[in-house]
mmCIF file of all heavy atoms in Angstrom:
data_model
loop_
_atom_site.group_PDB
_atom_site.id
_atom_site.type_symbol
_atom_site.label_atom_id
_atom_site.label_comp_id
_atom_site.label_asym_id
_atom_site.label_seq_id
_atom_site.Cartn_x
_atom_site.Cartn_y
_atom_site.Cartn_z
ATOM 1 N N SER A 218 0.841 -1.221 0.000
ATOM 2 C CA SER A 218 0.006 -0.021 -0.016
ATOM 3 C C SER A 218 0.875 1.255 0.001
ATOM 4 O O SER A 218 0.570 2.214 -0.758
ATOM 5 C CB SER A 218 -0.907 0.023 1.227
ATOM 6 O OG SER A 218 -1.640 1.190 1.312
ATOM 7 N N VAL A 219 1.879 1.303 0.832
ATOM 8 C CA VAL A 219 2.743 2.450 0.896
ATOM 9 C C VAL A 219 3.484 2.610 -0.468
ATOM 10 O O VAL A 219 3.606 3.778 -0.952
ATOM 11 C CB VAL A 219 3.805 2.273 2.038
ATOM 12 C CG1 VAL A 219 4.891 3.339 1.950
ATOM 13 C CG2 VAL A 219 3.124 2.341 3.377
ATOM 14 N N SER A 220 3.911 1.565 -1.081
ATOM 15 C CA SER A 220 4.591 1.648 -2.344
ATOM 16 C C SER A 220 3.656 2.162 -3.438
ATOM 17 O O SER A 220 4.009 3.050 -4.229
ATOM 18 C CB SER A 220 5.185 0.297 -2.696
ATOM 19 O OG SER A 220 5.789 0.327 -3.991
ATOM 20 N N PHE A 221 2.444 1.580 -3.510
ATOM 21 C CA PHE A 221 1.522 2.018 -4.569
ATOM 22 C C PHE A 221 1.123 3.471 -4.398
ATOM 23 O O PHE A 221 1.112 4.233 -5.388
ATOM 24 C CB PHE A 221 0.242 1.187 -4.481
ATOM 25 C CG PHE A 221 0.507 -0.284 -4.824
ATOM 26 C CD1 PHE A 221 -0.379 -1.278 -4.336
ATOM 27 C CD2 PHE A 221 1.593 -0.699 -5.537
ATOM 28 C CE1 PHE A 221 -0.139 -2.605 -4.597
ATOM 29 C CE2 PHE A 221 1.792 -2.019 -5.800
ATOM 30 C CZ PHE A 221 0.949 -2.980 -5.356
ATOM 31 N N TRP A 222 0.812 3.880 -3.190
ATOM 32 C CA TRP A 222 0.453 5.272 -2.972
ATOM 33 C C TRP A 222 1.596 6.230 -3.201
ATOM 34 O O TRP A 222 1.401 7.383 -3.708
ATOM 35 C CB TRP A 222 -0.097 5.453 -1.554
ATOM 36 C CG TRP A 222 -1.597 5.159 -1.441
ATOM 37 C CD1 TRP A 222 -2.145 3.987 -1.030
ATOM 38 C CD2 TRP A 222 -2.667 6.066 -1.766
ATOM 39 N NE1 TRP A 222 -3.519 4.114 -1.085
ATOM 40 C CE2 TRP A 222 -3.869 5.340 -1.509
ATOM 41 C CE3 TRP A 222 -2.722 7.364 -2.235
ATOM 42 C CZ2 TRP A 222 -5.124 5.908 -1.728
ATOM 43 C CZ3 TRP A 222 -3.989 7.897 -2.443
ATOM 44 C CH2 TRP A 222 -5.142 7.196 -2.205
ATOM 45 N N SER A 223 2.818 5.836 -2.868
ATOM 46 C CA SER A 223 3.983 6.687 -3.061
ATOM 47 C C SER A 223 4.219 6.889 -4.584
ATOM 48 O O SER A 223 4.591 8.000 -5.000
ATOM 49 C CB SER A 223 5.264 6.086 -2.441
ATOM 50 O OG SER A 223 5.062 5.936 -1.051
ATOM 51 N N VAL A 224 3.986 5.835 -5.406
ATOM 52 C CA VAL A 224 4.089 6.027 -6.853
ATOM 53 C C VAL A 224 3.079 7.023 -7.353
ATOM 54 O O VAL A 224 3.336 7.892 -8.200
ATOM 55 C CB VAL A 224 3.959 4.660 -7.579
ATOM 56 C CG1 VAL A 224 3.881 4.854 -9.075
ATOM 57 C CG2 VAL A 224 5.128 3.761 -7.207
ATOM 58 N N ALA A 225 1.891 6.952 -6.797
ATOM 59 C CA ALA A 225 0.831 7.899 -7.152
ATOM 60 C C ALA A 225 1.218 9.303 -6.744
ATOM 61 O O ALA A 225 1.008 10.298 -7.526
ATOM 62 C CB ALA A 225 -0.507 7.500 -6.530
ATOM 63 N N TRP A 226 1.753 9.458 -5.542
ATOM 64 C CA TRP A 226 2.191 10.805 -5.115
ATOM 65 C C TRP A 226 3.330 11.350 -5.952
ATOM 66 O O TRP A 226 3.419 12.558 -6.212
ATOM 67 C CB TRP A 226 2.575 10.754 -3.635
ATOM 68 C CG TRP A 226 1.472 10.485 -2.696
ATOM 69 C CD1 TRP A 226 1.565 9.627 -1.593
ATOM 70 C CD2 TRP A 226 0.157 10.980 -2.642
ATOM 71 N NE1 TRP A 226 0.374 9.568 -0.908
ATOM 72 C CE2 TRP A 226 -0.527 10.433 -1.514
ATOM 73 C CE3 TRP A 226 -0.538 11.873 -3.447
ATOM 74 C CZ2 TRP A 226 -1.800 10.700 -1.257
ATOM 75 C CZ3 TRP A 226 -1.865 12.168 -3.201
ATOM 76 C CH2 TRP A 226 -2.520 11.567 -2.059
ATOM 77 N N LEU A 227 4.214 10.448 -6.398
ATOM 78 C CA LEU A 227 5.309 10.868 -7.234
ATOM 79 C C LEU A 227 4.774 11.404 -8.596
ATOM 80 O O LEU A 227 5.217 12.395 -9.129
ATOM 81 C CB LEU A 227 6.298 9.731 -7.514
ATOM 82 C CG LEU A 227 7.539 10.049 -8.329
ATOM 83 C CD1 LEU A 227 8.434 11.070 -7.581
ATOM 84 C CD2 LEU A 227 8.327 8.780 -8.675
ATOM 85 N N SER A 228 3.743 10.733 -9.152
ATOM 86 C CA SER A 228 3.126 11.184 -10.355
ATOM 87 C C SER A 228 2.445 12.593 -10.146
ATOM 88 O O SER A 228 2.527 13.424 -11.006
ATOM 89 C CB SER A 228 2.078 10.155 -10.801
ATOM 90 O OG SER A 228 1.435 10.583 -11.945
ATOM 91 N N VAL A 229 1.808 12.759 -8.994
ATOM 92 C CA VAL A 229 1.191 14.035 -8.670
ATOM 93 C C VAL A 229 2.264 15.139 -8.634
ATOM 94 O O VAL A 229 2.100 16.228 -9.133
ATOM 95 C CB VAL A 229 0.443 13.985 -7.357
ATOM 96 C CG1 VAL A 229 -0.037 15.380 -6.903
ATOM 97 C CG2 VAL A 229 -0.735 13.040 -7.472
ATOM 98 N N LEU A 230 3.395 14.813 -7.987
ATOM 99 C CA LEU A 230 4.478 15.806 -7.857
ATOM 100 C C LEU A 230 5.005 16.212 -9.206
ATOM 101 O O LEU A 230 5.168 17.449 -9.460
ATOM 102 C CB LEU A 230 5.592 15.204 -7.023
ATOM 103 C CG LEU A 230 6.880 16.044 -6.804
ATOM 104 C CD1 LEU A 230 6.479 17.350 -6.073
ATOM 105 C CD2 LEU A 230 7.906 15.302 -6.036
ATOM 106 N N TYR A 231 5.322 15.241 -10.085
ATOM 107 C CA TYR A 231 5.818 15.597 -11.387
ATOM 108 C C TYR A 231 4.758 16.415 -12.220
ATOM 109 O O TYR A 231 5.102 17.344 -12.942
ATOM 110 C CB TYR A 231 6.173 14.355 -12.170
ATOM 111 C CG TYR A 231 7.469 13.685 -11.727
ATOM 112 C CD1 TYR A 231 7.649 12.319 -11.832
ATOM 113 C CD2 TYR A 231 8.437 14.457 -11.128
ATOM 114 C CE1 TYR A 231 8.826 11.720 -11.403
ATOM 115 C CE2 TYR A 231 9.589 13.843 -10.670
ATOM 116 C CZ TYR A 231 9.797 12.462 -10.825
ATOM 117 O OH TYR A 231 10.979 11.899 -10.354
ATOM 118 N N CYS A 232 3.529 16.008 -12.092
ATOM 119 C CA CYS A 232 2.468 16.709 -12.841
ATOM 120 C C CYS A 232 2.343 18.144 -12.344
ATOM 121 O O CYS A 232 2.239 19.090 -13.183
ATOM 122 C CB CYS A 232 1.167 15.953 -12.658
ATOM 123 S SG CYS A 232 -0.237 16.654 -13.569
ATOM 124 N N MET A 233 2.369 18.389 -11.095
ATOM 125 C CA MET A 233 2.164 19.743 -10.530
ATOM 126 C C MET A 233 3.398 20.602 -10.847
ATOM 127 O O MET A 233 3.237 21.847 -11.050
ATOM 128 C CB MET A 233 1.936 19.663 -9.024
ATOM 129 C CG MET A 233 0.644 18.961 -8.616
ATOM 130 S SD MET A 233 -0.829 19.798 -9.178
ATOM 131 C CE MET A 233 -0.783 21.300 -8.231
ATOM 132 N N ARG A 234 4.570 20.002 -10.899
ATOM 133 C CA ARG A 234 5.754 20.825 -11.161
ATOM 134 C C ARG A 234 5.904 21.172 -12.639
ATOM 135 O O ARG A 234 6.457 22.216 -12.960
ATOM 136 C CB ARG A 234 7.025 20.068 -10.699
ATOM 137 C CG ARG A 234 7.192 20.041 -9.198
ATOM 138 C CD ARG A 234 8.538 19.476 -8.821
ATOM 139 N NE ARG A 234 8.785 19.627 -7.369
ATOM 140 C CZ ARG A 234 9.902 19.216 -6.754
ATOM 141 N NH1 ARG A 234 10.844 18.601 -7.463
ATOM 142 N NH2 ARG A 234 10.044 19.370 -5.465
ATOM 143 N N VAL A 235 5.408 20.373 -13.531
ATOM 144 C CA VAL A 235 5.626 20.560 -14.941
ATOM 145 C C VAL A 235 4.536 21.372 -15.559
ATOM 146 O O VAL A 235 4.756 22.338 -16.329
ATOM 147 C CB VAL A 235 5.751 19.207 -15.729
ATOM 148 C CG1 VAL A 235 5.783 19.407 -17.195
ATOM 149 C CG2 VAL A 235 6.989 18.453 -15.263
ATOM 150 N N LEU A 236 3.295 21.126 -15.208
ATOM 151 C CA LEU A 236 2.156 21.786 -15.796
ATOM 152 C C LEU A 236 2.023 23.184 -15.222
ATOM 153 O O LEU A 236 2.398 23.483 -14.114
ATOM 154 C CB LEU A 236 0.829 21.020 -15.559
ATOM 155 C CG LEU A 236 0.469 19.945 -16.599
ATOM 156 C CD1 LEU A 236 1.532 18.850 -16.717
ATOM 157 C CD2 LEU A 236 -0.864 19.332 -16.270
ATOM 158 N N SER A 237 1.391 24.061 -16.018
ATOM 159 C CA SER A 237 1.081 25.442 -15.591
ATOM 160 C C SER A 237 -0.455 25.547 -15.467
ATOM 161 O O SER A 237 -1.180 24.966 -16.298
ATOM 162 C CB SER A 237 1.599 26.435 -16.581
ATOM 163 O OG SER A 237 1.090 26.220 -17.884
ATOM 164 N N PHE A 238 -0.935 26.242 -14.467
ATOM 165 C CA PHE A 238 -2.357 26.345 -14.186
ATOM 166 C C PHE A 238 -2.768 27.783 -14.137
ATOM 167 O O PHE A 238 -2.029 28.699 -13.767
ATOM 168 C CB PHE A 238 -2.671 25.669 -12.814
ATOM 169 C CG PHE A 238 -2.226 24.245 -12.715
ATOM 170 C CD1 PHE A 238 -1.028 23.954 -12.156
ATOM 171 C CD2 PHE A 238 -3.037 23.236 -13.248
ATOM 172 C CE1 PHE A 238 -0.627 22.597 -12.060
ATOM 173 C CE2 PHE A 238 -2.644 21.915 -13.152
ATOM 174 C CZ PHE A 238 -1.420 21.618 -12.548
ATOM 175 N N SER A 239 -4.011 28.019 -14.543
ATOM 176 C CA SER A 239 -4.615 29.380 -14.514
ATOM 177 C C SER A 239 -5.477 29.544 -13.271
ATOM 178 O O SER A 239 -5.694 30.674 -12.867
ATOM 179 C CB SER A 239 -5.469 29.613 -15.770
ATOM 180 O OG SER A 239 -6.492 28.625 -15.869
ATOM 181 N N SER A 240 -5.885 28.461 -12.676
ATOM 182 C CA SER A 240 -6.732 28.534 -11.470
ATOM 183 C C SER A 240 -5.915 28.954 -10.252
ATOM 184 O O SER A 240 -4.733 28.516 -10.070
ATOM 185 C CB SER A 240 -7.413 27.184 -11.184
ATOM 186 O OG SER A 240 -8.089 27.199 -9.988
ATOM 187 N N VAL A 241 -6.480 29.817 -9.403
ATOM 188 C CA VAL A 241 -5.823 30.213 -8.207
ATOM 189 C C VAL A 241 -5.577 29.093 -7.241
ATOM 190 O O VAL A 241 -4.551 28.998 -6.604
ATOM 191 C CB VAL A 241 -6.619 31.368 -7.534
ATOM 192 C CG1 VAL A 241 -5.927 31.808 -6.221
ATOM 193 C CG2 VAL A 241 -6.787 32.542 -8.468
ATOM 194 N N LEU A 242 -6.561 28.182 -7.158
ATOM 195 C CA LEU A 242 -6.457 27.051 -6.244
ATOM 196 C C LEU A 242 -5.283 26.127 -6.676
ATOM 197 O O LEU A 242 -4.446 25.706 -5.791
ATOM 198 C CB LEU A 242 -7.770 26.242 -6.272
ATOM 199 C CG LEU A 242 -7.773 24.936 -5.435
ATOM 200 C CD1 LEU A 242 -7.514 25.245 -3.972
ATOM 201 C CD2 LEU A 242 -9.095 24.179 -5.617
ATOM 202 N N PHE A 243 -5.209 25.782 -7.958
ATOM 203 C CA PHE A 243 -4.114 24.906 -8.384
ATOM 204 C C PHE A 243 -2.747 25.622 -8.303
ATOM 205 O O PHE A 243 -1.742 24.957 -8.091
ATOM 206 C CB PHE A 243 -4.360 24.483 -9.840
ATOM 207 C CG PHE A 243 -5.374 23.361 -9.945
ATOM 208 C CD1 PHE A 243 -6.700 23.654 -10.344
ATOM 209 C CD2 PHE A 243 -5.066 22.077 -9.633
ATOM 210 C CE1 PHE A 243 -7.636 22.694 -10.417
ATOM 211 C CE2 PHE A 243 -6.039 21.069 -9.709
ATOM 212 C CZ PHE A 243 -7.324 21.376 -10.087
ATOM 213 N N ARG A 244 -2.713 26.936 -8.460
ATOM 214 C CA ARG A 244 -1.466 27.665 -8.273
ATOM 215 C C ARG A 244 -0.981 27.596 -6.825
ATOM 216 O O ARG A 244 0.187 27.405 -6.564
ATOM 217 C CB ARG A 244 -1.619 29.124 -8.705
ATOM 218 C CG ARG A 244 -1.703 29.358 -10.189
ATOM 219 C CD ARG A 244 -1.828 30.840 -10.495
ATOM 220 N NE ARG A 244 -1.881 31.088 -11.946
ATOM 221 C CZ ARG A 244 -2.005 32.271 -12.480
ATOM 222 N NH1 ARG A 244 -2.131 33.386 -11.681
ATOM 223 N NH2 ARG A 244 -2.051 32.422 -13.762
ATOM 224 N N ALA A 245 -1.912 27.720 -5.915
ATOM 225 C CA ALA A 245 -1.590 27.580 -4.474
ATOM 226 C C ALA A 245 -1.120 26.182 -4.191
ATOM 227 O O ALA A 245 -0.163 25.984 -3.404
ATOM 228 C CB ALA A 245 -2.805 27.979 -3.630
ATOM 229 N N LEU A 246 -1.760 25.176 -4.774
ATOM 230 C CA LEU A 246 -1.333 23.807 -4.580
ATOM 231 C C LEU A 246 0.053 23.534 -5.138
ATOM 232 O O LEU A 246 0.870 22.837 -4.524
ATOM 233 C CB LEU A 246 -2.309 22.834 -5.229
ATOM 234 C CG LEU A 246 -3.730 22.701 -4.545
ATOM 235 C CD1 LEU A 246 -4.618 21.826 -5.375
ATOM 236 C CD2 LEU A 246 -3.591 22.178 -3.168
ATOM 237 N N LYS A 247 0.329 24.180 -6.326
ATOM 238 C CA LYS A 247 1.633 23.990 -6.925
ATOM 239 C C LYS A 247 2.729 24.590 -6.073
ATOM 240 O O LYS A 247 3.845 24.037 -5.916
ATOM 241 C CB LYS A 247 1.620 24.595 -8.322
ATOM 242 C CG LYS A 247 2.893 24.419 -9.060
ATOM 243 C CD LYS A 247 2.819 24.905 -10.460
ATOM 244 C CE LYS A 247 4.114 24.633 -11.270
ATOM 245 N NZ LYS A 247 3.996 25.087 -12.677
ATOM 246 N N GLU A 248 2.445 25.780 -5.454
ATOM 247 C CA GLU A 248 3.467 26.400 -4.623
ATOM 248 C C GLU A 248 3.787 25.610 -3.319
ATOM 249 O O GLU A 248 4.868 25.663 -2.836
ATOM 250 C CB GLU A 248 3.019 27.833 -4.261
ATOM 251 C CG GLU A 248 2.927 28.738 -5.490
ATOM 252 C CD GLU A 248 2.416 30.110 -5.089
ATOM 253 O OE1 GLU A 248 2.019 30.291 -3.932
ATOM 254 O OE2 GLU A 248 2.354 31.000 -5.996
ATOM 255 N N ASN A 249 2.760 24.939 -2.808
ATOM 256 C CA ASN A 249 2.963 24.235 -1.528
ATOM 257 C C ASN A 249 2.903 22.699 -1.748
ATOM 258 O O ASN A 249 2.631 21.970 -0.784
ATOM 259 C CB ASN A 249 1.809 24.610 -0.573
ATOM 260 C CG ASN A 249 1.798 26.082 -0.318
ATOM 261 O OD1 ASN A 249 2.604 26.567 0.472
ATOM 262 N ND2 ASN A 249 0.881 26.809 -0.909
ATOM 263 N N ILE A 250 3.185 22.211 -2.956
ATOM 264 C CA ILE A 250 3.034 20.788 -3.252
ATOM 265 C C ILE A 250 4.057 19.959 -2.430
ATOM 266 O O ILE A 250 3.733 18.816 -2.036
ATOM 267 C CB ILE A 250 3.180 20.502 -4.725
ATOM 268 C CG1 ILE A 250 2.792 19.044 -5.096
ATOM 269 C CG2 ILE A 250 4.609 20.854 -5.243
ATOM 270 C CD1 ILE A 250 1.367 18.765 -4.783
ATOM 271 N N SER A 251 5.191 20.485 -2.167
ATOM 272 C CA SER A 251 6.210 19.698 -1.403
ATOM 273 C C SER A 251 5.747 19.460 -0.011
ATOM 274 O O SER A 251 5.812 18.308 0.481
ATOM 275 C CB SER A 251 7.539 20.437 -1.404
ATOM 276 O OG SER A 251 8.047 20.600 -2.736
ATOM 277 N N THR A 252 5.253 20.513 0.665
ATOM 278 C CA THR A 252 4.752 20.325 2.039
ATOM 279 C C THR A 252 3.571 19.390 2.106
ATOM 280 O O THR A 252 3.451 18.538 2.982
ATOM 281 C CB THR A 252 4.398 21.696 2.613
ATOM 282 O OG1 THR A 252 5.515 22.566 2.567
ATOM 283 C CG2 THR A 252 3.960 21.522 4.075
ATOM 284 N N ILE A 253 2.646 19.561 1.122
ATOM 285 C CA ILE A 253 1.458 18.733 1.074
ATOM 286 C C ILE A 253 1.789 17.242 0.901
ATOM 287 O O ILE A 253 1.277 16.410 1.626
ATOM 288 C CB ILE A 253 0.521 19.207 -0.043
ATOM 289 C CG1 ILE A 253 -0.020 20.592 0.257
ATOM 290 C CG2 ILE A 253 -0.606 18.222 -0.247
ATOM 291 C CD1 ILE A 253 -0.818 21.227 -0.899
ATOM 292 N N LEU A 254 2.763 16.951 0.028
ATOM 293 C CA LEU A 254 3.084 15.577 -0.238
ATOM 294 C C LEU A 254 3.925 14.962 0.920
ATOM 295 O O LEU A 254 3.817 13.772 1.184
ATOM 296 C CB LEU A 254 3.881 15.413 -1.535
ATOM 297 C CG LEU A 254 3.000 15.692 -2.797
ATOM 298 C CD1 LEU A 254 3.857 15.400 -4.057
ATOM 299 C CD2 LEU A 254 1.816 14.785 -2.843
ATOM 300 N N ASN A 255 4.733 15.758 1.572
ATOM 301 C CA ASN A 255 5.438 15.268 2.750
ATOM 302 C C ASN A 255 4.477 14.817 3.816
ATOM 303 O O ASN A 255 4.641 13.751 4.474
ATOM 304 C CB ASN A 255 6.388 16.353 3.300
ATOM 305 C CG ASN A 255 7.594 16.584 2.412
ATOM 306 O OD1 ASN A 255 7.969 15.728 1.655
ATOM 307 N ND2 ASN A 255 8.133 17.785 2.544
ATOM 308 N N VAL A 256 3.404 15.627 4.028
ATOM 309 C CA VAL A 256 2.361 15.214 4.990
ATOM 310 C C VAL A 256 1.580 14.023 4.465
ATOM 311 O O VAL A 256 1.231 13.115 5.232
ATOM 312 C CB VAL A 256 1.425 16.402 5.249
ATOM 313 C CG1 VAL A 256 0.254 15.989 6.150
ATOM 314 C CG2 VAL A 256 2.171 17.566 5.925
ATOM 315 N N ALA A 257 1.338 13.982 3.147
ATOM 316 C CA ALA A 257 0.585 12.883 2.584
ATOM 317 C C ALA A 257 1.294 11.563 2.730
ATOM 318 O O ALA A 257 0.692 10.512 2.938
ATOM 319 C CB ALA A 257 0.315 13.143 1.117
ATOM 320 N N LEU A 258 2.629 11.568 2.620
ATOM 321 C CA LEU A 258 3.389 10.326 2.814
ATOM 322 C C LEU A 258 3.224 9.771 4.259
ATOM 323 O O LEU A 258 3.066 8.560 4.405
ATOM 324 C CB LEU A 258 4.874 10.625 2.535
ATOM 325 C CG LEU A 258 5.228 10.820 1.058
ATOM 326 C CD1 LEU A 258 6.725 11.222 0.949
ATOM 327 C CD2 LEU A 258 5.017 9.590 0.270
ATOM 328 N N LEU A 259 3.305 10.671 5.241
ATOM 329 C CA LEU A 259 3.131 10.216 6.641
ATOM 330 C C LEU A 259 1.719 9.733 6.883
ATOM 331 O O LEU A 259 1.515 8.690 7.550
ATOM 332 C CB LEU A 259 3.460 11.345 7.600
ATOM 333 C CG LEU A 259 4.936 11.817 7.553
ATOM 334 C CD1 LEU A 259 5.116 13.019 8.527
ATOM 335 C CD2 LEU A 259 5.887 10.717 7.930
ATOM 336 N N VAL A 260 0.720 10.431 6.326
ATOM 337 C CA VAL A 260 -0.666 9.976 6.485
ATOM 338 C C VAL A 260 -0.856 8.651 5.763
ATOM 339 O O VAL A 260 -1.596 7.771 6.306
ATOM 340 C CB VAL A 260 -1.628 11.059 5.921
ATOM 341 C CG1 VAL A 260 -3.057 10.542 5.897
ATOM 342 C CG2 VAL A 260 -1.528 12.327 6.727
ATOM 343 N N THR A 261 -0.246 8.447 4.617
ATOM 344 C CA THR A 261 -0.364 7.134 3.907
ATOM 345 C C THR A 261 0.198 6.007 4.747
ATOM 346 O O THR A 261 -0.415 4.924 4.870
ATOM 347 C CB THR A 261 0.331 7.219 2.584
ATOM 348 O OG1 THR A 261 -0.230 8.238 1.770
ATOM 349 C CG2 THR A 261 0.290 5.900 1.852
ATOM 350 N N LEU A 262 1.337 6.262 5.399
ATOM 351 C CA LEU A 262 1.988 5.250 6.219
ATOM 352 C C LEU A 262 1.078 4.845 7.396
ATOM 353 O O LEU A 262 0.869 3.663 7.673
ATOM 354 C CB LEU A 262 3.325 5.677 6.702
ATOM 355 C CG LEU A 262 4.107 4.793 7.660
ATOM 356 C CD1 LEU A 262 4.408 3.445 6.932
ATOM 357 C CD2 LEU A 262 5.407 5.424 8.071
ATOM 358 N N LEU A 263 0.561 5.864 8.095
ATOM 359 C CA LEU A 263 -0.282 5.607 9.279
ATOM 360 C C LEU A 263 -1.571 4.992 8.877
ATOM 361 O O LEU A 263 -2.064 4.043 9.544
ATOM 362 C CB LEU A 263 -0.528 6.908 10.028
ATOM 363 C CG LEU A 263 0.692 7.595 10.626
ATOM 364 C CD1 LEU A 263 0.325 8.940 11.252
ATOM 365 C CD2 LEU A 263 1.345 6.720 11.672
ATOM 366 N N THR A 264 -2.199 5.426 7.773
ATOM 367 C CA THR A 264 -3.467 4.859 7.320
ATOM 368 C C THR A 264 -3.314 3.391 6.910
ATOM 369 O O THR A 264 -4.150 2.585 7.178
ATOM 370 C CB THR A 264 -4.016 5.681 6.142
ATOM 371 O OG1 THR A 264 -4.114 7.076 6.534
ATOM 372 C CG2 THR A 264 -5.399 5.194 5.765
ATOM 373 N N SER A 265 -2.218 3.073 6.210
ATOM 374 C CA SER A 265 -1.971 1.717 5.778
ATOM 375 C C SER A 265 -1.812 0.791 6.964
ATOM 376 O O SER A 265 -2.340 -0.326 7.012
ATOM 377 C CB SER A 265 -0.734 1.658 4.854
ATOM 378 O OG SER A 265 -0.888 2.488 3.733
#
């Protein structure tokens, strides 16, 4: 479970870093994607 979800988070990270967004929400997510994914990794471990 940790491995599968981590691959999914890696895909999210690459997608958010490469793509450009016009929405304010997605821009805010792109600026804070590193912090969000660091927390998501810990939540994934505990949830699994």
Side-chain angles (χ1 to χ4, degrees):
S218 175
V219 170
S220 177
F221 296 156
W222 274 97
S223 298
V224 173
W226 294 137
L227 184 65
S228 179
V229 171
L230 178 62
Y231 286 153
C232 183
M233 296 297 293
R234 285 189 173 181
V235 173
L236 271 62
S237 57
F238 303 96
S239 57
S240 173
V241 178
L242 176 61
F243 282 102
R244 286 182 179 178
L246 289 175
K247 183 174 182 178
E248 292 176 357
N249 301 283
I250 190 62
S251 297
T252 304
I253 294 173
L254 289 185
N255 289 336
V256 175
L258 288 173
L259 295 178
V260 172
T261 299
L262 177 61
L263 296 176
T264 305
S265 300

